[in-house]
Amino acid sequence: MYDHGPDLGRNDECWCGSGRKYKKCHSDFDERLQALHEAGELVPARELLKMSEDVAGVRRSAAVNVGALDYVASRIGPGVTTGDIDRWVHDYTVEHGATPAPLGYEGFPKSVCTSVDEVVCHGIPSDDELLREGDIVNVDCSTILDGYYSDSSRMFMIGEVTPEKEQLVRVTKEALEKGLEAVRPWGHLGDVGAAVHAHAKAHGYTVVREFGGHGIGLDFHEDPFVSFVTKPGTGEILVPGLMFTIEPMVNMGKARIDMNDPNGWTVRTHDRKPTAQWEVQIVVTEDGYELLSW
Ligand code: MF3
Ligand code: CO
């Protein structure tokens, strides 16, 4: 097969774990994948596809991830430090039997990413960083439960923010929603990025190119890379079972980013103008998608 994965006989047990015979299970599905590959399409390897047991595991992980973000939402405001947010996420996650995925990931020192104003992503929480009226902050939360990964992020506006920042936060969320609307089983991943980009661009914003969404489930970052500067009809086929995040970073100013912070993590806009990001995790289904974490 195209993915160098199992090539099964009709009466063999299917690769998907259903216990059924291949001919009664994924044989037609595999033929469709193989034909798409031969037609020149990018077809995700079957080992990336999540079957019902794995989806159920991710749902349990995502329930903790969403709960942690809801907990942050209920307490965040002026006078809170990003160090407080880190402790809330850490303690909530651990109390629910899970592990914060960022903690120790490639040396990341905290349990959550907190990115204020011109910080694009990967901001490191600190007790010295006080949130003040007018700030916008992305809280990016990721959870491991029983080996299953979930990942989502939200923007929070601290007190009254300027209309410009409010619009950036709102349009970025709308762009993500346009991306979700473009998810069609057997469609293309590039449709998603194109929809996100078009909406951001229509408001005069730019989209960060260097970072994007990613496959996820049994690992924090799996294939495919989910870019938000894509052309419709390009990229991987959205095969049912493909699980990934949609997480555009939208800049008020230029798209260029600055990755030179000495801490090795904090990414800023080059022009120091504000930036926003929302992130959801989905799995493609036979008739659309299931939202797992938001
Ligand atoms: N949560 C980020 C994402 O959406 C990844 C953060 S990596 C970390 O993919 F180490 F900074 F946590
Ligand atoms: Co992510």
Side-chain angles (χ1 to χ4, degrees):
M1 291 272 303
Y2 71 98
D3 60 359
H4 308 292
D7 240 332
L8 299 176
R10 291 172 49 73
N11 289 316
D12 289 341
E13 195 177 309
C14 190
W15 54 262
C16 78
S18 66
R20 298 166 69 201
K21 287 192 175 177
Y22 184 51
K23 67 182 175 196
K24 297 235 160 156
C25 199
H26 276 86
S27 160
D28 291 350
F29 179 88
D30 281 4
E31 268 180 39
R32 186 168 182 179
L33 297 182
Q34 183 67 26
L36 284 164
H37 167 78
E38 283 165 20
E41 298 284 0
L42 277 171
V43 184
R46 287 170 294 168
E47 64 180 9
L48 289 174
L49 306 178
K50 273 67 178 179
M51 298 300 145
S52 58
E53 194 188 326
D54 287 340
V55 175
V58 173
R59 272 190 211 113
R60 290 192 296 273
S61 174
V64 179
N65 205 60
V66 170
L69 280 169
D70 286 347
Y71 185 68
V72 170
S74 72
R75 302 189 68 165
I76 198 169
V80 160
T81 69
T82 54
D84 293 330
I85 297 172
D86 180 63
R87 276 183 293 279
W88 298 342
V89 170
H90 177 273
D91 293 352
Y92 182 97
T93 305
V94 170
E95 279 162 20
H96 288 78
T99 306
L103 190 58
Y105 175 79
E106 293 186 8
F108 191 79
K110 296 288 182 180
S111 296
V112 64
C113 297
T114 51
S115 302
V116 180
D117 284 346
E118 77 280 4
V119 176
V120 172
C121 62
H122 302 166
I124 302 175
S126 161
D127 291 336
D128 299 329
E129 186 178 43
L130 194 65
L131 295 177
R132 290 166 310 184
E133 178 104 7
D135 286 343
I136 57 172
V137 54
N138 173 273
V139 177
D140 190 344
C141 193
S142 318
T143 301
I144 317 170
L145 181 67
D146 301 333
Y148 291 108
Y149 285 77
S150 51
D151 185 12
S152 56
S153 80
R154 302 182 196 164
M155 293 299 295
F156 296 99
M157 295 185 272
I158 307 302
E160 287 272 308
V161 308
T162 63
E164 290 78 14
K165 283 187 181 178
E166 188 279 329
Q167 176 175 281
L168 175 71
V169 169
R170 179 169 42 79
V171 168
T172 304
K173 190 176 192 188
E174 288 166 5
L176 166 52
E177 287 159 358
K178 301 278 180 197
L180 279 172
E181 283 167 23
V183 175
R184 299 257 185 292
W186 305 101
H188 289 89
L189 187 57
D191 300 348
V192 177
V196 168
H197 198 185
H199 191 70
K201 231 167 143 175
H203 290 267
Y205 299 144
T206 60
V207 172
V208 171
R209 317 180 85 88
E210 293 86 343
F211 294 95
H214 47 93
I216 181 169
L218 300 174
D219 212 336
F220 199 170
H221 297 109
E222 302 177 356
D223 282 340
F225 175 66
V226 181
S227 168
F228 303 105
V229 286
T230 47
K231 299 255 180 299
T234 65
E236 284 79 359
I237 298 288
L238 296 174
V239 178
L242 193 65
M243 187 183 285
F244 58 91
T245 70
I246 304 177
E247 49 176 311
M249 300 166 197
V250 175
N251 295 351
M252 199 183 279
K254 298 252 161 62
R256 186 169 170 198
I257 58 172
D258 170 3
M259 294 202 273
N260 292 318
D261 193 290
N263 71 22
W265 283 102
T266 309
V267 179
R268 294 182 178 80
T269 53
H270 185 259
D271 60 15
R272 299 298 191 262
K273 290 194 177 163
T275 178
Q277 179 183 28
W278 293 83
E279 175 178 18
V280 299
Q281 177 177 351
I282 66 166
V283 61
V284 180
T285 60
E286 294 290 343
D287 49 12
Y289 65 86
E290 178 182 340
L291 193 56
L292 294 162
S293 194
W294 59 87

